[in-house]
Every structure is written in structure tokens, then in C-alpha cells.
Amino acid sequence: MRTVDRVVKAPSDLGLELIGVPEGADLRLDLRLESVSEGVLVSGTVDVPVTGECGRCLRPISDSVVVNIQELYAYAHSTTDETTDEDEIGRLQGDLIDLEPAVRDAVVLELPTNPVCRADCPGLCPECGGLLDDLPADHHHEQVDPRWAALSQLNNEGD
């Protein structure tokens, strides 16, 4: 068994539409590599910084996410070759292990598809686009349906 504590740069396109890991950001890998009968079992955590924008109010979000990973990388010519498809399990390339696909999958699956800056974020006013946090509590817009405009005139005549 061997432990690895390493900082690597984030690849491009690591994330979703509204939130992701900035390209070149530091990814902290805290891993444990264990020799097992079929290959090397890699397990541990990846600590990644994430940035994006709130899906409700569009304010910037900056946070970090800790992701657990566990992946088996099979030895060349092991029985795993016979029992699995080539792309179903990772393979050792000599003495090297390509962790990028496993890290990418784990990080992207952990990210929220609709991130929010805080759980009770009210978002934007659907009419004027203003931040509801910044608008007064009685903020509203007068909406007159043109089909009823003539009747609203009658209501004003009674005054």
C-alpha cells in the first residue's frame, strides 16, 4: 500500500453549465493505492475549488467540494481482461495510472445541476429582473390584461 498526497492542475471543461472547476485550479489529491489480486485499488478524496453563478439570482458562487473516489485499475493480462469490457474498468499503462477520467466523473457527478448562492435565495423578479433581495417587500408590477382593459375603466367610473 502507498499513500499519495499531491496537488495537480485542473483540466479544462471540468464542470457543468452553471458551476465548475476553473481550468488550472489546484486539485488536492489525498489517495491510497493498494495492490489487490486484479490490479491497483485507488481510493481517497479530491478537494476541488468550484466557481459559477447562482441558478436563481445569477450572483457569483465560490466554494470548494470534497469528492470521494474509488477505482480499480487492472493489471495487463489479468483475469479482469476476460471478464470485463475494455472501457468498463481502468487499466494500468505500465506503471502509470490515468486518474483524470475517474476524478472527472466523481467531481461532475457531485456538482449541483442548479447551484444556489444560499438555500433561501429568492432569485430575480420575473417582470423587471431586479434582485428580490434588494427590492422592497411590497414590490409588484401592475399587469393589465388587454382583454379586461375596458372593464377596468368601468371600475374607475364608479369612484
Side-chain angles (χ1 to χ4, degrees):
M1 188 211 46
R2 184 179 295 171
T3 60
V4 175
D5 186 18
R6 188 170 288 167
V7 175
V8 298
K9 298 297 181 191
S12 63
D13 298 330
L14 182 56
L16 303 172
E17 188 173 332
L18 289 179
I19 193 164
V21 179
E23 183 177 357
D26 289 342
L27 305 182
R28 177 165 296 285
L29 305 173
D30 184 14
L31 304 173
R32 182 173 143 162
L33 291 82
E34 297 176 81
S35 178
V36 294
S37 61
E38 291 299 312
V40 175
L41 179 66
V42 178
S43 56
T45 60
V46 181
D47 189 354
V48 297
V50 293
T51 59
E53 58 185 22
C54 177
R56 293 182 190 162
C57 69
L58 305 178
R59 286 185 179 139
I61 295 174
S62 182
D63 200 1
S64 67
V65 176
V66 177
V67 179
N68 293 317
I69 64 168
Q70 186 169 27
E71 192 79 21
L72 175 66
Y73 292 88
Y75 294 128
H77 311 296
S78 67
T79 56
T80 307
D81 285 339
E82 300 166 12
T83 59
T84 61
D85 292 332
E86 186 176 330
D87 60 348
E88 188 176 347
I89 192 166
R91 308 278 190 228
L92 271 88
Q93 306 297 322
D95 290 340
L96 301 177
I97 297 174
D98 183 10
L99 289 174
E100 185 178 340
V103 170
R104 180 178 296 279
D105 290 347
V107 169
V108 171
L109 288 173
E110 189 71 25
L111 295 175
T113 55
N114 191 19
V116 291
C117 57
R118 62 180 205 273
D120 64 341
C121 176
L124 303 174
C125 173
E127 296 299 318
C128 65
L131 290 169
L132 289 175
D133 273 342
D134 298 342
L135 297 173
D138 62 345
H139 174 78
H140 70 282
H141 297 275
E142 190 68 37
Q143 293 182 353
V144 178
D145 188 337
R147 298 173 293 178
W148 298 98
L151 290 177
S152 66
Q153 300 280 333
L154 293 173
N155 193 19
N156 292 337
E157 289 176 10
D159 291 338

PDB file of all heavy atoms in Angstrom, residues 6 61 72 97:
ATOM      1  N   ARG A   6      -1.011  14.818  -3.324  1.00  0.00           N
ATOM      2  CA  ARG A   6      -0.453  15.579  -4.438  1.00  0.00           C
ATOM      3  C   ARG A   6      -1.427  16.679  -4.850  1.00  0.00           C
ATOM      4  O   ARG A   6      -2.632  16.516  -4.767  1.00  0.00           O
ATOM      5  CB  ARG A   6      -0.200  14.634  -5.602  1.00  0.00           C
ATOM      6  CG  ARG A   6       0.552  15.257  -6.741  1.00  0.00           C
ATOM      7  CD  ARG A   6       0.982  14.239  -7.746  1.00  0.00           C
ATOM      8  NE  ARG A   6       2.068  13.449  -7.154  1.00  0.00           N
ATOM      9  CZ  ARG A   6       2.519  12.328  -7.653  1.00  0.00           C
ATOM     10  NH1 ARG A   6       1.984  11.824  -8.737  1.00  0.00           N
ATOM     11  NH2 ARG A   6       3.511  11.685  -7.089  1.00  0.00           N
ATOM     12  N   ILE A  61     -20.757  32.420  -7.381  1.00  0.00           N
ATOM     13  CA  ILE A  61     -20.597  31.433  -6.314  1.00  0.00           C
ATOM     14  C   ILE A  61     -19.144  30.991  -6.324  1.00  0.00           C
ATOM     15  O   ILE A  61     -18.571  30.739  -7.377  1.00  0.00           O
ATOM     16  CB  ILE A  61     -21.493  30.203  -6.554  1.00  0.00           C
ATOM     17  CG1 ILE A  61     -22.967  30.569  -6.488  1.00  0.00           C
ATOM     18  CG2 ILE A  61     -21.183  29.106  -5.541  1.00  0.00           C
ATOM     19  CD1 ILE A  61     -23.882  29.405  -6.862  1.00  0.00           C
ATOM     20  N   LEU A  72     -10.775   0.796  -9.436  1.00  0.00           N
ATOM     21  CA  LEU A  72      -9.838  -0.308  -9.631  1.00  0.00           C
ATOM     22  C   LEU A  72      -9.178  -0.164 -10.997  1.00  0.00           C
ATOM     23  O   LEU A  72      -9.863   0.056 -12.000  1.00  0.00           O
ATOM     24  CB  LEU A  72     -10.557  -1.654  -9.555  1.00  0.00           C
ATOM     25  CG  LEU A  72      -9.707  -2.885  -9.861  1.00  0.00           C
ATOM     26  CD1 LEU A  72      -8.627  -3.068  -8.800  1.00  0.00           C
ATOM     27  CD2 LEU A  72     -10.567  -4.121  -9.958  1.00  0.00           C
ATOM     28  N   ILE A  97      -0.996   5.218 -13.882  1.00  0.00           N
ATOM     29  CA  ILE A  97      -2.457   5.181 -13.741  1.00  0.00           C
ATOM     30  C   ILE A  97      -2.991   6.529 -14.201  1.00  0.00           C
ATOM     31  O   ILE A  97      -2.534   7.570 -13.734  1.00  0.00           O
ATOM     32  CB  ILE A  97      -2.868   4.939 -12.274  1.00  0.00           C
ATOM     33  CG1 ILE A  97      -2.385   3.574 -11.800  1.00  0.00           C
ATOM     34  CG2 ILE A  97      -4.367   5.064 -12.104  1.00  0.00           C
ATOM     35  CD1 ILE A  97      -2.613   3.323 -10.322  1.00  0.00           C
TER      36      ILE A  97
END
